[in-house]
Amino acid sequence: MRDVYVIGVGMTPFGKHMDKNMKTLAADATNRALEHAGITKDKLQVAVVGNAYQGLVTGQESIRGQVVLRAMGIGGIPVTNVENACCSSATALQVAWMDIALGLHDVALVLGMEKMYMDDREKRLKLFSASADVEVIEMLVQAMKADAERKRKEAEARGETKKEKESKGGSAFMEIYAMGARLHMDKYGLTQRQLAVVSSKNHNHSVNNPYAQYRKPFTVEEVLAAQPIAYPLTLPMCAPVGDGAAAAILCSKKMIKKLGASKPVKILSTVVGGGMDRGFDDPDIGERVAKVAYEAAGVGPEDIDVAEFHDATAFGEVVNTEALGFCPRGEGGIFAEQGHSTLGGKLPINPSGGLESKGHPVGATGAGQIAELVWQLRGEADGRQVEGARIALAENGGGNIGIEEAAMVITILQADF
């Protein structure tokens, strides 16, 4: 297997781009990545494109990647389309990595893209249900909503939370995350305030990220007082719906000098794992996939300098802080409360602002994480730079079956210059 490097990344700002279509967003991200790599589009030999929902939103199926790339004058090369829920473009990166590692091609484009925002709120929230078992998801959501209301009233009676406004309600996945958070609260003592600490930290990080959908700081108290979604989650604890695209240029080691690329970032490992039926106390998907990724990379959690986690809600960051070995199980909330995951802390997590603040255009999310970490490793993350970062980790979950994600990709990167 050959070594594979990222030599350039680019992304659009994530947000509500009502005036742009998928072709425009994809071209913007791709051109930024090519410019960052210092190459032209004629050097690309293969492309892998991640997208989750365009078939449902616009009816465009089957050749999504070919459509957007041909529109910007990229044709005649193999294009593979990848659909894998929220980790579609992270999976696309793994596919491109395999292609180059096996010696099939030397230069690859990885593109993640999504247009999700629409005025019809009910329709856009239902998009997420397509990433779960559609035969059972609605029944489960109703049961989880009832449980959330019961637990909220119990907490209110104990004085642990103030009397709340009527819940705004969210996607099926917000209900799933909220249920996971309540189970964690019951078993380990996680508090709603600790979730607010995570959310406040990520929103404060995003202030210095020009690509973030939201750049407004929040205090812990403001997060707690915000519109409830599903107890214990409030609105700032949840990722917003938006549009965007992100891209990366991968190449083999022998091509770095030929292309004149500078500051290459080596892919130490990129691992795709699947969910399974398990007990609540059994190792979850993050723990299982991380073990493989660490072994393949030859590093451990103690070697990671900066991480981007799939925090579709603040609870996602908490549980993955534990699962990926950065603190003992049950102490993810404490880890955040002690300031370890903030910029300047022991392990800065989501310096981009994470999904909660940077945004979550599903098909673009994984590639967006890679873009942020490449900038971090190259010392180019102005205003949010993790000083001295040399090894980085991205965790990108996708979909849901049972009590865990249906898929997950963990990628470990290293500055190699």
Side-chain angles (χ1 to χ4, degrees):
M1 298 281 278
R2 301 190 300 174
D3 291 337
V4 182
Y5 296 80
V6 182
I7 58 170
V9 293
M11 62 184 286
T12 68
F14 287 177
K16 300 172 183 177
H17 296 295
M18 301 298 285
D19 59 335
K20 296 180 180 179
N21 62 17
M22 184 58 68
K23 294 174 183 176
T24 306
L25 292 169
D28 188 1
T30 300
N31 285 328
R32 290 178 190 229
L34 289 168
E35 182 179 2
H36 193 230
I39 66 171
T40 51
K41 60 189 178 184
D42 59 287
K43 297 294 192 296
L44 299 174
Q45 300 172 356
V46 63
V48 189
V49 181
N51 175 264
Y53 295 137
Q54 286 317 287
L56 294 172
V57 175
T58 67
Q60 179 63 66
E61 291 281 11
S62 303
I63 55 168
R64 302 171 196 177
Q66 288 89 339
V67 166
V68 299
L69 293 177
R70 283 284 290 279
M72 61 176 296
I74 298 175
I77 63 172
V79 178
T80 300
N81 293 284
V82 174
E83 181 182 321
N84 205 15
C86 305
C87 56
S88 291
S89 57
T91 307
L93 179 116
Q94 204 247 14
V95 172
W97 169 83
M98 284 193 293
D99 187 296
I100 294 174
L102 291 171
L104 302 179
H105 297 94
D106 288 299
V107 186
L109 167 68
V110 175
L111 172 64
M113 58 186 193
E114 205 75 73
K115 275 283 291 182
M116 294 179 64
Y117 188 76
M118 61 189 85
D119 290 330
D120 187 337
R121 183 173 184 270
E122 183 177 352
K123 183 178 178 180
R124 71 175 186 258
L125 290 179
K126 282 187 175 180
L127 292 175
F128 293 96
S129 296
S131 294
D133 185 337
V134 296
E135 293 183 355
V136 300
I137 188 64
E138 292 304 321
M139 177 181 64
L140 289 174
V141 165
Q142 293 307 313
M144 287 185 283
K145 284 183 176 179
D147 181 73
E149 181 61 14
R150 178 173 59 82
K151 291 293 179 67
R152 183 194 65 77
K153 288 180 177 178
E154 290 174 357
E156 186 180 298
R158 293 193 300 268
E160 294 175 8
T161 187
K162 298 176 183 177
K163 186 174 178 59
E164 294 182 341
K165 297 172 280 187
E166 182 180 353
S167 171
K168 183 177 182 180
S171 71
F173 277 81
M174 298 303 102
E175 299 292 343
I176 291 168
Y177 273 109
M179 172 65 82
R182 295 193 298 274
L183 291 171
H184 207 279
M185 294 166 90
D186 290 344
K187 185 169 182 64
Y188 297 112
L190 174 70
T191 67
Q192 189 183 36
R193 185 175 187 84
Q194 288 170 340
L195 293 171
V197 168
V198 171
S199 179
S200 173
K201 179 263 299 183
N202 287 332
H203 283 285
N204 292 340
H205 282 175
S206 73
V207 169
N208 293 311
N209 185 359
Y211 299 94
Q213 184 163 342
Y214 295 133
R215 300 181 65 187
K216 175 186 174 183
F218 280 83
T219 66
V220 171
E221 295 304 326
E222 286 172 332
V223 174
L224 289 170
Q227 179 74 47
I229 298 299
Y231 182 80
L233 303 177
T234 65
L235 187 60
M237 297 181 193
C238 303
V241 174
D243 313 324
I249 308 298
L250 275 56
C251 78
S252 61
K253 187 172 184 177
K254 75 176 185 180
M255 288 299 290
I256 292 175
K257 192 170 289 187
K258 288 183 180 180
L259 295 173
S262 62
K263 294 185 177 180
V265 171
K266 186 178 181 180
I267 300 175
L268 294 182
S269 66
T270 179
V271 177
V272 180
M276 60 183 287
D277 293 326
R278 62 173 179 84
F280 182 71
D281 293 323
D282 295 331
D284 81 352
I285 185 172
E287 189 173 346
R288 301 192 307 269
V289 178
K291 181 179 179 182
V292 179
Y294 287 139
E295 288 179 355
V299 302
E302 68 280 359
D303 298 306
I304 306 300
D305 298 312
V306 58
E308 286 282 313
F309 284 174
H310 188 95
D311 60 322
T313 70
F315 178 64
E317 180 172 317
V318 169
V319 73
N320 281 302
T321 304
E322 300 168 8
L324 273 63
F326 299 113
C327 69
R329 183 179 285 201
E331 295 184 14
I334 296 170
F335 188 88
E337 206 166 32
Q338 292 177 340
H340 297 316
S341 56
T342 194
L343 280 167
K346 177 164 66 174
L347 174 70
I349 297 174
N350 290 329
S352 69
L355 281 60
E356 294 169 72
S357 198
K358 181 179 65 176
H360 184 26
V362 169
T365 292
Q369 290 180 324
I370 298 302
E372 174 67 23
L373 293 178
V374 168
W375 288 323
Q376 289 286 346
L377 294 176
R378 289 170 56 127
E380 299 169 351
D382 293 343
R384 61 189 189 282
Q385 181 65 50
V386 176
E387 295 303 323
R390 299 292 298 174
I391 300 179
L393 178 149
E395 175 274 320
N396 186 199
N400 175 267
I401 295 180
I403 65 171
E404 65 183 18
E405 293 90 341
M408 182 175 286
V409 181
I410 292 180
T411 302
I412 300 177
L413 306 170
Q414 181 180 44
D416 198 36
F417 50 87

